Amino acid sequence: MKMWIDGQWVDSVSGGVMPVTNPATQEVLDTVPAGTPEDAARAVAAARAAYPAWRRVSAVERAHMLHAAAAKMRDRFDDLARLLTLEEGKPLPENEEEIDWSLNTIDYYAELGRHVRGRVPPSPGEGQLSLVLKEPYGVAGCIVPWNYPILLLVWKIAPALAAGNTVVINPASLTPLTTLRMVEWAFDHFPPGVVNVVTGSGSAVGDTLVRHPDVPVIAFTGSTAVGQHIARATAGQMKHLHLELGGKDPFVIADDAPLDAAVEALAYAALINTGQVCTSTERVYVPRAMLPQFSEALAERVARLRLGPGIEPTTDVGPMIGAADRAKVIEHIADAVSKGARVLTGGQIPDVEKGFFLEPAVLVGVDHTMRIMREETFGPTIPLMAYDTFDEAIALANDTEYGLGACLYSHDARKVRRFYEEVQAGTIWINDPLTDNYAGPFGGMKMSGIGRELGIEGLEAFWQTKHVHWDIEGGVKEWWYPY
Ligand code: NAP
Ligand code: MG
């Protein structure tokens, strides 16, 4: 495929291309231009040129265009979900969910963008008007990872466009195809330069967006390491940064939790997208008395999950995205075992010729000295640790540098309240892990990031604030000179 700059399908100025492969079969699906800093700068120039006119398009017209984009995605729903399955790997139903969430997010911001553009506070004096105006920034640079390439992108471009910004997108190197098709099929009616996609590595294209003086706002989802790099690289420019970074989400099972439902909830929370979710459950705390029965039921449940290519209807768990990612998970398991943990099921590479598959693992006997309980594993692992009191469970949940999400299973209102008051995480899920809400903000505390996506907060992320003070009569004031 080609990339989309200034309303044209173009190659890189370098002429280079890079392959996109299917992680289930390791077959090359297609190639995309290997964009360079020059290509990124070309797209920024187009977005900057398109901005003054786009900013003046009425909010209702922008809403119509966003609704039209959502409708066109609905028309190509199956094609988008299938292509996403081929390049990203997770099972088709998870990709259908991703496309569904994405187009609903576009509809949500289409309406939100025309709802308000500021507020009118009381003025300090008679005959005056105070206006708080929300204005777009200009060009928004949007950089996303491969695990939810469409959803995480739409969380950025839908509010950015609704707020009146133009956008330059750098998709992840591993998953640019569905993004290009989405723009081709659903965003072709936007004026040239309003939406641009520059494929190519983050270190070439993303980094150029990050440093470019004409890109005043960067919306990034990815690792904490790259987030820190972006913060350092932009410190001198006072850029507005929205950084959605890594996590090490805890799941606390309370002593009143119904065993069967908690086991099902946990398997889903930890293994959806093969555990490659920023808010994936990465560590679990179970009451000591419950642990033997709970771990046995969980291991039995996890062992029954069917591994396979995401495109097969019989698949529950797809491949991981790549060999290095899988090797890291195996290292985390080996480190835990070397320190005394026990693997109840999984953790092995299955006997298949192709694809980055790994059997989902359940571990017991883990503690916080192990990498699997401290570092982001980003794979199909469920380490279970025993706790004695609910105080201890909360302390363990908070014993991390991250603060993205946290889950609890309980019907005890006192425990629920303590959990959401005391656990430091941007999202708290009670009894329904990982369900997002367009109207509810999403993002991280601590090292998990800065800023929020979704909700009104997600729109405000793409607005800057201006205060207008207007004395309508304009007479001479008694507090002016002379004193
Ligand atoms: P990553 O390595 O940080 O990559 C994310 C994106 O940044 C990719 O598009 C990447 O390009 C690009 N990039 C790399 N270096 C860059 C640079 N110097 N300047 C600008 N952009 C650059 O993350 P990942 O390992 O692919 O993704 C998994 C991580 O994302 C995990 O830590 C996960 O927790 C996090 N995540 C967070 C959220 C959230 O909402 N908080 C959601 C999903 C994932 P290339 O593709 O070319 O490397
Ligand atoms: Mg990476």
Side-chain angles (χ1 to χ4, degrees):
M1 293 191 72
K2 296 189 184 226
M3 58 186 174
W4 181 244
I5 299 177
D6 203 14
Q8 308 277 336
W9 291 102
V10 297
D11 292 313
S12 166
V13 290
S14 71
V17 296
M18 50 191 211
V20 182
T21 57
N22 178 337
T25 62
Q26 294 173 249
E27 281 161 7
V28 174
L29 293 165
D30 207 338
T31 63
V32 296
T36 62
E38 236 181 303
D39 294 310
R42 195 152 56 112
V44 171
R48 189 176 147 87
Y51 171 64
W54 178 245
R55 192 193 152 172
R56 283 195 303 273
V57 169
S58 73
V60 71
E61 182 59 22
R62 285 203 293 261
H64 286 317
M65 290 172 115
L66 286 165
H67 282 310
K72 290 180 183 182
M73 283 177 73
R74 231 172 246 117
D75 289 345
R76 301 306 290 256
F77 187 92
D78 291 338
D79 297 326
L80 288 166
R82 292 185 76 81
L83 181 58
L84 189 52
T85 305
L86 296 179
E87 70 174 335
E88 200 276 343
K90 63 185 176 293
L92 184 60
E94 294 180 19
N95 291 303
E96 289 170 344
E97 277 248 88
E98 178 169 352
I99 301 300
D100 191 52
W101 287 342
S102 300
L103 59 88
N104 285 319
T105 301
I106 296 174
D107 279 330
Y108 172 76
Y109 280 111
E111 291 307 306
L112 211 56
R114 65 175 177 173
H115 185 60
V116 284
R117 70 161 295 214
R119 62 196 169 90
V120 181
S123 298
E126 212 15 56
Q128 299 182 334
L129 190 60
S130 198
L131 298 174
V132 178
L133 297 180
K134 299 291 180 177
E135 297 188 345
Y137 284 105
V139 180
C142 302
I143 304 169
V144 290
W146 48 266
N147 65 340
Y148 288 93
I150 299 299
L151 186 75
L152 297 171
L153 178 61
V154 162
W155 287 7
K156 296 167 179 58
I157 63 171
L161 294 169
N165 302 272
T166 57
V167 300
V168 180
I169 298 161
N170 177 218
S173 299
L174 296 168
T175 53
L177 298 177
T178 316
T179 304
L180 291 168
R181 287 293 182 212
M182 176 184 79
V183 168
E184 178 186 351
W185 292 335
F187 286 78
D188 57 327
H189 57 287
F190 283 76
V194 171
V195 177
N196 305 274
V197 186
V198 185
T199 53
S201 77
S203 53
V205 175
D207 206 65
T208 303
L209 300 179
V210 163
R211 295 173 193 277
H212 202 296
D214 291 337
V215 182
V217 56
I218 295 289
F220 170 82
T221 299
S223 60
T224 295
V226 174
Q228 288 170 319
H229 165 79
I230 291 172
R232 275 192 291 267
T234 56
Q237 296 182 65
M238 302 300 161
K239 283 202 188 196
H240 297 270
L241 300 182
H242 304 295
L243 304 175
E244 300 289 343
L245 309 176
K248 190 69 191 171
D249 285 12
F251 197 142
V252 172
I253 309 295
D255 54 8
D256 69 290
L259 185 110
D260 291 347
V263 162
E264 294 294 337
L266 176 56
Y268 173 82
L271 301 177
I272 179 176
N273 202 355
T274 322
Q276 303 168 120
V277 186
C278 52
T279 52
S280 185
T281 290
E282 291 245 334
R283 48 203 177 99
V284 186
Y285 304 98
V286 185
R288 192 172 303 278
M290 241 170 111
L291 187 60
Q293 202 195 350
F294 188 89
S295 56
E296 193 183 319
L298 181 72
E300 188 274 327
R301 180 68 191 95
V302 167
R304 275 192 292 118
L305 293 171
R306 299 159 301 175
L307 237 62
I311 207 75
E312 302 290 340
T314 49
T315 293
D316 297 313
V317 178
M320 292 192 64
I321 193 70
D325 307 77
R326 180 173 66 181
K328 176 178 160 193
V329 178
I330 292 171
E331 259 178 49
H332 279 200
I333 295 172
D335 171 74
V337 169
S338 77
K339 292 173 181 157
R342 210 151 48 81
V343 179
L344 297 186
T345 187
Q348 303 294 321
I349 295 179
D351 188 17
V352 289
E353 258 176 46
K354 289 278 164 66
F356 308 112
F357 293 95
L358 181 63
E359 291 168 357
V362 176
L363 291 87
V364 290
V366 297
D367 63 44
H368 280 207
T369 65
M370 300 171 183
R371 294 178 66 192
I372 204 164
M373 297 300 272
R374 302 214 73 85
E375 298 171 27
E376 191 174 45
T377 306
F378 223 62
T381 56
I382 317 184
L384 305 174
M385 179 169 170
Y387 70 84
D388 292 306
T389 64
F390 199 65
D391 284 343
E392 188 191 348
I394 287 181
L396 287 166
N398 280 329
D399 179 23
T400 171
E401 62 178 351
Y402 293 109
L404 194 54
C407 299
L408 171 69
Y409 216 109
S410 179
H411 296 300
D412 177 340
R414 287 190 188 86
K415 290 200 171 80
V416 170
R417 182 171 179 280
R418 279 203 57 197
F419 192 81
Y420 72 66
E421 291 285 353
E422 294 175 33
V423 173
Q424 293 168 290
T427 306
I428 304 284
W429 284 288
I430 317 291
N431 305 338
D432 183 18
L434 274 58
T435 294
D436 295 323
N437 176 349
Y438 319 109
F442 178 93
M445 294 182 179
K446 295 154 79 176
M447 293 300 276
S448 292
I450 300 173
R452 292 292 178 272
E453 300 190 302
L454 296 182
I456 183 74
E457 290 86 349
L459 180 66
E460 286 176 346
F462 293 98
W463 269 337
Q464 50 192 338
T465 302
K466 181 182 279 173
H467 181 203
V468 177
H469 172 71
W470 178 11
D471 188 292
I472 295 157
E473 291 302 329
V476 174
K477 304 293 179 288
E478 66 200 32
W479 56 85
W480 292 354
Y481 298 127
Y483 291 148

